[in-house]
Amino acid sequence: MNLIVAVDKNWAIGYKNKLLISIPEDMQFFRETTRNKVVVMGKNTLESLPGGKPLKNRIANIVIALEKDYKVEGATTVYSIEEALKEIEKYNTEDVFVMGGGSIYRQLLPYCDKAYITYVDYAYQADTAIPNLDESDEWEMVSESEEKTYFDVLYYFRTYERIK
């Protein structure tokens, strides 16, 4: 399973259920990387998407919600991490991408083997973060793009792999 996320220099990912920054090239990378794949997200992440609707051109949208009566058209709704893992078993794990939010990333990180990180070299005001893979003995960065800029913000596309 894969994780895909944009982080700031403190590995923060969001503030008040919104992304810290929207970089067009990062959005394009996300779309291309997850197109015709399975995406896994929490209810709040789904509701933060345009129109609060599941992503188009995906094999499946799996939404994890705590409320047992929560349903969304065009998505498979599950009600626990255990149920999500069972649902994910139906797919090739290389085609599954965890896309947020913070709690979902933290709970599914142990099941991920690859992480696609857009690293933004700036510290934003944030209320949600994920574990810093640079500080983990379980992960190593295997690739990094050249330095990129969006206005005055520096960022990099990084790929991490779980150390076997």
Side-chain angles (χ1 to χ4, degrees), residues 21-27 120 124 147-156:
I21 185 172
S22 181
I23 299 172
E25 189 178 11
D26 176 50
M27 295 294 161
V120 180
Y124 291 90
E147 178 180 283
K148 299 185 171 281
T149 57
Y150 178 64
F151 294 101
D152 58 347
V153 176
L154 301 177
Y155 66 98
Y156 304 83

Side-chain angles (χ1 to χ4, degrees), residues 75-105:
T76 301
T77 307
V78 296
Y79 303 98
S80 68
I81 292 297
E82 294 71 30
E83 274 187 72
L85 291 169
K86 194 147 199 57
E87 184 65 27
I88 289 164
E89 286 176 5
K90 297 176 181 176
Y91 305 98
N92 178 340
T93 59
E94 291 175 15
D95 291 339
V96 177
F97 286 82
V98 179
M99 58 172 279
S103 169
I104 303 303
Y105 283 128

Side-chain angles (χ1 to χ4, degrees), residues 117-133:
I117 306 289
T118 301
Y119 179 85
V120 180
D121 194 12
Y122 186 82
Y124 291 90
Q125 179 177 4
D127 58 15
T128 308
I130 65 167
N132 181 336
L133 300 186

